[in-house]
Amino acid sequence: MAATSEEVIKQLSALMEQLEEPLKTTFQNVHQGNLRGTLVRFLKAREWSVPKAHKMLMDCLNWRVQNEIDSVLAKPILPSDLYRAIRDTLLVGLTGYSKQGQPIYAFGVGLSTFDKASVNYYVQSHIQMNEYRDRVVLPAASKKFGRQINTCLKVMDMTGLKLSALSQIKMLTMITTVDDLNYPEKTETYYIVNAPYVFSACWKVVKPLLQERTKKKIQVLYASGRDELLKVMDSESLPHFCKREGSGSSRDSLDGVDCYSYDHPFHQQLYNYMKQQSLNQYSAGPRKQGSVHVDVPSPGLEEVKIAETIKAELQNLRGSNGLTHSFNSIQIEGP
């Protein structure tokens, strides 16, 4: 890097000062008062190249304006039974905070089926979760812990991942593309737990395709990962599927309501927040039911290659002998 990081940040900042409406307003929603941190995120995502980071940011802002992302939290998914069905099939929840104050999100990758609503609804719900994290959860965490908190941790539960996951790759690729291009560098570490054989096989072929920066973020833990996770979070913040070794991904948490559930306090707060935002914005009357269509950007070459590689590996596994048994957790070499 010829210029120092400070010089690079100043260069990008000067370019962003030239913004006009409506891009200026949506950029304020992106940085939430933390301008420097936001510029650094996009620079990291483009290897500290100012022209590339600037293009990425401009593409992001135009995407936000064209798809009315600034108002997405005022568009709750209706009726509530449909939202409950989405929560039952796109398994994600907030479990607590790390010892450093970062929000901890749990994802039930292996048990998410994406089969109770249209693709548009799942994309809408995912974007709403991102926006709520950036506008509400992270600012609240910063206030609670007395320091600027810009990233979260994600614990990815692979229990239940099967060869049939081939049918879910398109949905997961769309979600990943939205995150990579419009919410870069928001996750500090991905912890992979309860990984079955099928994940191990796919990880071996995908790992070489990842950028070094991405590889460093991924930690594949043994079994439920409980002992390793307790180094970065307290026991009360552990996802329910990590509470006890060998517990797998039971949907039963210790208090009877797991973090994925529509009835969990986090999801209740999120849904009530969106309903209130809707009332504030659409005071003339309730919004009509229906999904919000968001144009998902085309995935980059890296994402396309990874998706194709996973598909090929799953097809190879399907054609192999001796893989009809249930896949139990095994020890996997870390990244």
Side-chain angles (χ1 to χ4, degrees):
M1 192 163 54
T4 66
S5 59
E6 287 302 321
E7 291 172 340
V8 169
I9 294 169
K10 286 180 180 178
Q11 290 172 22
L12 183 56
S13 179
L15 290 172
M16 300 311 293
E17 287 175 1
Q18 301 171 21
L19 285 177
E20 297 181 356
E21 297 295 353
L23 298 183
K24 187 174 182 179
T25 294
T26 200
F27 185 46
Q28 290 171 349
N29 278 328
V30 170
H31 69 65
Q32 292 290 309
N34 182 26
L35 176 60
R36 177 189 168 83
T38 300
L39 298 178
V40 168
R41 286 196 297 110
F42 280 83
L43 284 164
K44 282 183 177 179
R46 289 298 178 262
E47 307 298 331
W48 292 87
S49 164
V50 173
K52 291 180 180 178
H54 180 245
K55 181 182 184 305
M56 184 185 190
L57 245 175
M58 294 303 294
D59 288 346
C60 168
L61 300 183
N62 281 303
W63 172 81
R64 292 180 66 88
V65 169
Q66 291 162 10
N67 292 281
E68 300 181 352
I69 301 301
D70 289 344
S71 62
V72 73
L73 287 177
K75 300 171 182 176
I77 292 172
L78 300 170
S80 59
D81 284 347
L82 175 59
Y83 187 69
R84 182 186 290 274
I86 290 172
R87 293 279 59 82
D88 287 341
T89 51
L90 170 52
L91 304 180
V92 56
L94 180 71
T95 68
Y97 300 88
S98 72
K99 294 177 180 178
Q100 299 299 316
Q102 296 136 311
I104 299 165
Y105 285 89
F107 282 82
V109 179
L111 295 176
S112 290
T113 55
F114 306 106
D115 60 354
K116 297 297 183 184
S118 69
V119 168
N120 286 343
Y121 277 118
Y122 285 110
V123 172
Q124 176 184 347
S125 180
H126 179 73
I127 290 172
Q128 287 172 332
M129 198 82 66
N130 282 352
E131 291 293 313
Y132 188 73
R133 174 199 63 202
D134 294 349
R135 298 192 215 177
V136 178
V137 175
L138 287 172
S142 298
K143 184 176 181 180
K144 178 179 179 179
F145 291 91
R147 68 180 190 87
Q148 188 69 48
I149 295 174
N150 305 315
T151 59
C152 64
L153 305 180
K154 292 182 180 177
V155 185
M156 320 290 283
D157 180 26
M158 297 294 167
T159 302
L161 192 67
K162 297 178 180 138
L163 297 181
S164 58
L166 192 61
S167 62
Q168 301 167 20
I169 289 178
K170 182 178 180 181
M171 185 73 244
L172 292 170
T173 300
M174 291 176 72
I175 287 174
T176 301
T177 300
V178 167
D179 287 353
D180 287 350
L181 296 181
N182 299 293
Y183 303 92
E185 301 295 320
K186 296 299 291 190
T187 301
E188 181 172 300
T189 308
Y190 296 88
Y191 297 99
I192 310 296
V193 302
N194 297 320
Y197 175 83
V198 68
F199 173 83
S200 175
C202 290
W203 176 240
K204 287 179 181 177
V205 295
V206 167
K207 184 180 175 183
L209 303 178
L210 299 176
Q211 295 179 15
E212 200 59 38
R213 174 174 50 82
T214 303
K215 287 182 193 176
K216 290 178 180 179
K217 291 184 177 183
I218 301 173
Q219 295 191 27
V220 183
L221 306 183
Y222 174 69
S224 73
R226 181 179 181 276
D227 292 342
E228 287 299 312
L229 291 173
L230 285 175
K231 295 177 182 178
V232 296
M233 65 187 73
D234 295 327
S235 58
E236 58 266 25
S237 293
L238 276 176
H240 60 279
F241 48 81
C242 300
K243 293 287 186 182
R244 295 181 296 273
E245 287 292 351
S247 62
S249 185
S250 168
R251 290 296 304 272
D252 297 324
S253 67
L254 297 183
D255 58 5
V257 179
D258 69 49
C259 65
Y260 301 147
S261 172
Y262 169 82
D263 297 313
H264 189 274
F266 168 70
H267 287 298
Q268 285 292 298
Q269 290 164 11
L270 167 57
Y271 198 59
N272 288 334
Y273 179 90
M274 290 191 291
K275 287 192 292 185
Q276 186 59 52
Q277 292 294 308
S278 180
L279 288 174
N280 295 344
Q281 185 161 333
Y282 302 99
S283 55
R287 288 188 65 252
K288 294 180 180 179
Q289 297 181 15
S291 64
V292 174
H293 177 76
V294 174
D295 291 323
V296 176
S298 299
L301 293 177
E302 183 184 28
E303 288 84 358
V304 170
K305 181 65 175 176
I306 289 171
E308 290 176 348
T309 301
I310 293 174
K311 286 180 183 177
E313 185 62 21
L314 288 174
Q315 288 167 345
N316 288 339
L317 291 173
R318 271 182 172 171
S320 300
N321 294 322
L323 291 177
T324 56
H325 62 280
S326 61
F327 295 115
N328 297 317
S329 295
I330 62 171
Q331 186 167 0
I332 303 171
E333 291 182 3

